[in-house]
């Protein structure tokens, strides 16, 4: 969210709070007038406790305490108008109202402290996002690129989805992935993969060697697995698609490690780039290859063969647009339980303007959130759009 949007959101929140603040004062005025005019056996004073309680739900302790004081003053006015402040009935009403006002003011203070902690956590999450998930440049060699990250949780800024790009001497390498897991562990695994990709993208000449390096970075010691951690690690793997786009040839090379296939938009047609021999997700190939041969108690660090991650070649010509995405996009459901038809919505896209990848992602995001029931996603979603220029 940019600064102008954030400022507008805060301004709208302040106006809403001011509008809400009129409600408890109006309630105090109405109860006071009606109670003064009511018959002697009718007492509406207890309704005044609603005013500070309502204020505590949206305002801070100072405002809540002020409303409580006004409510107590109104109760005193009612007592004086109807008889005496010192009679038993009004004395109990005033004392109860003071006690309730003190309690709700304390609750408002605790809520304000909790909100400040959430703001601090959100700031830390935003800083972590900038460090771990760096924004992609709009122009990388002969490619125009746009990216977007949609968090499933309203307060979350980053989760287990990841993407990155690296410029090499001969082209551009791209990565998109999805960590299976939640919370800080997923963020940590995503950081490991992104760090390994940025470190090796310039060093590994072959794409298969790069993916083998990523596999070695995320796979734990097999001795730990054989000691009883296999079930835990079976839930901690990373699906990924790793691509190499040469500058001088209208092709791309792809290694798909259990990730949803990229979609190629060409002339109004959507072509899924399905590989003939998909590789296991990162973090699992070592278990598949070595678990059966390792004796209990034996600690073996696997060496991953590049042949396990053979790259396959696809045409990627001038004017083509490639969409990389995570399964949070295609698994978003509407109110009837229908999955989001990404390929169908992508095929309907026809804009080829100077900001086509960015415009495409904005269109897909708006359409995805409209499709999702209640405008909420069941899982984090990330998308990267790449257009090949001349």
């Amino acid at each position: 969210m940019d600064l102008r949007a954030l400022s507008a959101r805060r301004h709208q929140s302040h106006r809403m709070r001011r509008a809400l603040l009129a409600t408890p004062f109006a309630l105090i005025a109405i109860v006071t007038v009606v109670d003064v005019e009511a018959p002697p056996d009718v007492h509406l004073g207890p309704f005044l406790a609603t005013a500070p309680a309502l204020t505590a739900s949206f305002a801070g302790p100072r405002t809540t305490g002020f409303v409580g004081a006004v409510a107590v003053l109104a109760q005193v006015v009612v007592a004086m108008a109807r008889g005496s402040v010192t009679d038993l009935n009004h004395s109990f009403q005033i004392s109860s109202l003071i006690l309730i006002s003190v309690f709700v003011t304390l609750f408002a203070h605790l809520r304000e402290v909790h909100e400040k902690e959430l703001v601090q956590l959100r700031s830390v999450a935003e800083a972590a996002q900038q460090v771990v998930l760096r924004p992609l440049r709009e122009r990388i060699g002969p490619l125009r690129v746009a990216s977007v990250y949609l968090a499933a949780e309203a307060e979350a800024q980053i989760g287990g989805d990841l993407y990155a790009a690296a410029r090499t001497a001969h082209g551009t390498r791209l990565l998109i992935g999805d960590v299976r897991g939640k919370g800080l562990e997923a963020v940590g695994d995503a950081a490991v993969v992104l760090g390994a990709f940025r470190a090796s993208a310039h060093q590994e000449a072959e794409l298969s060697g790069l993916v083998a390096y990523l596999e070695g970075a995320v796979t734990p010691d097999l001795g730990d697995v054989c000691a009883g951690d296999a079930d835990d690690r079976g839930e901690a793997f990373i699906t990924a698609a790793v691509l190499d786009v040469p500058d001088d040839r209208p092709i791309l090379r792809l290694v798909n490690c259990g990730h949803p296939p990229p979609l190629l938009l060409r002339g109004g047609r959507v072509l899924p780039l399905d590989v003939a021999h998909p590789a296991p997700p990162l973090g699992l190939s070592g278990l598949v290859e070595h678990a059966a041969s390792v004796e209990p108690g034996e600690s073996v660090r696997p060496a991953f063969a590049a042949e396990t991650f053979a790259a396959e070649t696809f045409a990627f010509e001038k004017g083509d647009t490639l969409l990389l995405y995570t399964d949070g996009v295609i698994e978003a459901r509407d109110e009837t339980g229908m999955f989001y038809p990404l390929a169908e919505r992508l095929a309907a896209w026809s804009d080829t303007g100077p900001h086509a990848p960015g415009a495409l992602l904005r269109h897909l995001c708006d359409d995805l959130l409209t499709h999702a029931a209640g405008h909420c996603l069941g899982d984090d979603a990330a998308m990267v759009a790449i257009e090949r220029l001349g």
Side-chain angles (χ1 to χ4, degrees):
M1 181 180 295
D2 59 28
L3 292 179
R4 286 181 297 179
L6 182 59
S7 177
R9 184 175 178 180
R10 287 177 176 174
H11 183 65
Q12 182 180 6
S13 177
H14 289 161
R15 287 191 302 174
M16 184 177 297
R17 287 198 175 190
R18 286 197 297 268
L20 289 174
L21 192 57
T23 303
F25 287 111
L27 179 63
I28 292 174
I30 293 173
V31 171
T32 301
V33 173
V34 175
D35 201 8
V36 169
E37 300 295 333
D41 57 339
V42 176
H43 299 279
L44 301 180
F47 286 101
L48 289 174
T50 307
L54 178 63
T55 306
S57 66
F58 63 85
R62 292 183 179 180
T63 304
T64 303
F66 178 72
V67 172
V70 173
V72 171
L73 180 61
Q75 182 62 63
V76 172
V77 171
V78 170
M80 296 175 61
R82 300 191 60 172
S84 173
V85 177
T86 59
D87 68 78
L88 187 61
N89 181 41
H90 289 112
S91 297
F92 270 108
Q93 291 188 34
I94 293 172
S95 301
S96 300
L97 187 54
I98 292 174
L99 186 61
I100 292 174
S101 298
V102 170
F103 273 115
V104 296
T105 300
L106 176 61
F107 293 151
H109 169 71
L110 296 177
R111 180 181 54 80
E112 187 176 65
V113 170
H114 181 62
E115 288 180 349
K116 289 181 179 179
E117 292 176 350
L118 287 179
V119 170
Q120 293 176 349
L121 291 175
R122 191 180 300 116
S123 299
V124 172
E126 290 175 353
Q129 184 182 38
Q130 294 298 320
V131 174
V132 177
L133 197 62
R134 302 172 189 169
L136 303 182
R137 299 198 307 269
E138 294 183 3
R139 180 69 182 267
I140 308 177
L143 307 177
R144 246 188 338 214
V145 181
S147 60
V148 66
Y149 191 103
L150 298 175
E153 298 294 336
E155 299 300 332
Q157 299 294 324
I158 183 172
D161 289 7
L162 57 99
Y163 51 75
R167 185 79 178 134
T168 67
H170 304 288
T172 304
R173 286 178 168 175
L174 299 120
L175 163 71
I176 190 166
D178 184 3
V179 178
R180 286 296 181 264
K182 297 292 184 181
L184 292 178
E185 289 187 3
V187 177
D189 289 342
V192 169
V193 176
L194 290 171
F197 175 80
R198 291 164 183 152
S200 60
H202 306 277
Q203 300 175 0
E204 296 289 343
E206 298 296 330
L207 190 64
S208 56
L210 168 59
V211 182
Y213 183 91
L214 298 180
E215 173 65 29
V218 302
T219 301
D221 191 331
L222 287 184
D224 295 337
V225 174
C226 294
D229 296 337
D231 292 339
D232 295 337
R233 290 303 305 175
E235 294 297 327
F237 59 88
I238 303 166
T239 66
V242 188
L243 300 91
D244 190 2
V245 183
D247 289 345
D248 56 352
R249 298 180 62 189
I251 63 169
L252 64 83
R253 301 181 183 92
L254 169 65
V255 176
N256 193 324
C257 301
H259 200 74
L263 299 177
L264 183 68
L265 179 61
R266 174 183 297 158
R269 293 185 302 150
V270 175
L271 308 173
L273 303 187
D274 292 309
V275 297
H277 303 287
L282 300 177
L284 291 186
S285 62
L287 303 182
V288 173
E289 295 176 5
H290 299 276
S293 61
V294 177
E295 296 296 332
E298 182 182 358
S299 179
V300 178
R301 188 73 177 180
F304 300 101
E307 292 77 8
T308 306
F309 309 101
E312 301 186 26
T313 302
F314 299 88
F316 188 35
E317 303 170 354
K318 175 184 176 182
D320 289 351
T321 298
L322 185 69
L323 182 67
L324 311 178
Y325 57 96
T326 59
D327 59 9
V329 177
I330 56 177
E331 292 180 357
R333 298 174 181 265
D334 63 8
E335 296 176 351
T336 65
M338 181 180 297
F339 291 114
Y340 181 68
L342 177 60
E344 176 184 329
R345 304 299 169 84
L346 182 60
W349 177 255
S350 60
D351 190 350
T352 58
H355 305 287
L360 170 61
L361 291 190
R362 287 191 294 271
H363 167 74
L364 289 177
C365 285
D366 292 342
D367 192 50
L368 176 64
L369 293 176
T370 301
H371 174 88
H375 297 275
C376 295
L377 300 175
D379 191 8
D380 291 350
M383 290 184 284
V384 179
I386 307 113
E387 180 186 11
R388 178 130 204 177
L389 305 175

